[in-house]
């Protein structure tokens, strides 16, 4: 169970802080919620029922900067690139939503490599792949920048060097 003030990674929403743990009554039933505020974009708030295991399973402690660097260095690209666009979109969306940072880094590396290949062939990256690349990049960058007090631009240089 998480506590007030914890900083967590919450799926595609990125790095959030538990700003409140509150109980709301709906239809005569009291439900306890984590109130999550994104660290890098305070204009959103997410309410996650503490007893909803499907949603709380997307909440992960944020790794330290050195732990993140280790994940970046050791994560490999995906074993197989899903050829079907809709299948690939679903697979990548599920990985991002689950919030496992190692798998997110693997997706990031795979899409980045695929982007390089298609650009060398004079083509553009599929729109859904570009979207996944941006989501994964956001999560990775926010996770590193939080602990190491870097800008997202500084982190971009670090991740690309470790690829």
């Amino acid at each position: 169970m998480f506590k007030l003030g914890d900083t967590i990674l919450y799926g595609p929403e990125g790095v959030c802080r538990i700003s409140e743990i509150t109980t709301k009554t709906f239809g005569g039933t009291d439900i306890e919620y984590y109130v999550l505020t994104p660290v890098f974009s305070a204009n959103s708030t997410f309410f996650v029922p503490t007893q909803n295991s499907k949603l709380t399973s997307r909440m992960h402690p944020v790794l330290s900067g050195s732990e993140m660097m280790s994940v970046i260095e050791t994560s490999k690209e995906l074993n197989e690139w899903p050829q079907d666009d809709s299948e690939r979109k679903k697979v990548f969306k599920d990985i991002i939503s689950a919030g496992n940072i190692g798998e997110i880094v693997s997706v990031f590396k795979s899409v980045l490599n695929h982007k390089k290949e298609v650009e060398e062939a004079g083509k553009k990256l599929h729109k859904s792949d570009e979207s996944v690349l941006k989501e994964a990049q956001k999560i990775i960058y926010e996770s590193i920048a939080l602990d190491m007090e870097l800008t997202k631009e500084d982190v971009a240089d670090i991740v690309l060097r470790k690829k």
Side-chain angles (χ1 to χ4, degrees):
M1 181 162 216
F2 296 97
K3 62 185 185 314
L4 185 65
D6 281 354
T7 303
I8 54 110
L9 175 61
Y10 185 57
E13 284 73 21
V15 176
C16 297
R17 189 157 285 117
I18 299 176
S19 57
E20 188 178 350
I21 300 175
T22 188
T23 302
K24 304 264 186 202
T25 303
F26 292 101
T29 304
D30 289 343
I31 301 173
E32 184 179 54
Y33 291 88
Y34 293 116
V35 181
L36 307 180
T37 305
V39 172
F40 292 94
S41 172
N43 57 356
S44 299
T45 303
F46 304 101
F47 289 80
V48 179
T50 61
Q51 299 304 309
N52 184 324
S53 60
K54 183 176 180 183
L55 294 178
T56 57
S57 70
R58 296 173 53 197
M59 297 170 61
H60 301 277
V62 175
L63 300 179
S64 70
S66 60
E67 290 170 322
M68 276 299 301
M69 295 310 293
S70 177
V71 168
I72 289 167
E73 289 173 3
T74 59
S75 292
K76 305 288 185 224
E77 289 184 35
L78 299 174
N79 291 332
E80 189 175 321
W81 181 263
Q83 293 301 316
D84 180 72
D85 292 340
S86 58
E87 176 193 343
R88 186 172 61 250
K89 183 177 178 180
K90 182 187 178 331
V91 167
F92 289 171
K93 181 180 182 251
D94 290 347
I95 289 172
I96 298 285
S97 291
N100 179 306
I101 196 66
E103 291 179 2
I104 292 170
V105 170
S106 292
V107 165
F108 177 75
K109 287 181 174 184
S110 298
V111 176
L112 202 57
N113 187 48
H114 182 71
K115 179 179 181 178
K116 180 181 173 188
E117 290 171 0
V118 298
E119 286 176 349
E120 286 174 354
K123 299 179 182 179
K124 285 188 167 189
L125 190 61
H126 193 280
K127 189 171 178 104
S128 63
D129 295 332
E130 188 70 46
S131 177
V132 165
L133 185 64
K134 287 179 182 177
E135 282 187 67
Q137 189 174 39
K138 173 186 177 280
I139 292 166
I140 295 165
Y141 292 176
E142 286 183 3
S143 297
I144 295 173
L146 180 71
D147 187 60
M148 299 178 80
E149 298 182 12
L150 301 171
T151 66
K152 288 184 182 181
E153 293 75 23
D154 294 335
V155 174
D157 292 338
I158 292 169
V159 172
L160 293 174
R161 278 197 313 261
K162 298 289 183 184
K163 187 189 169 297

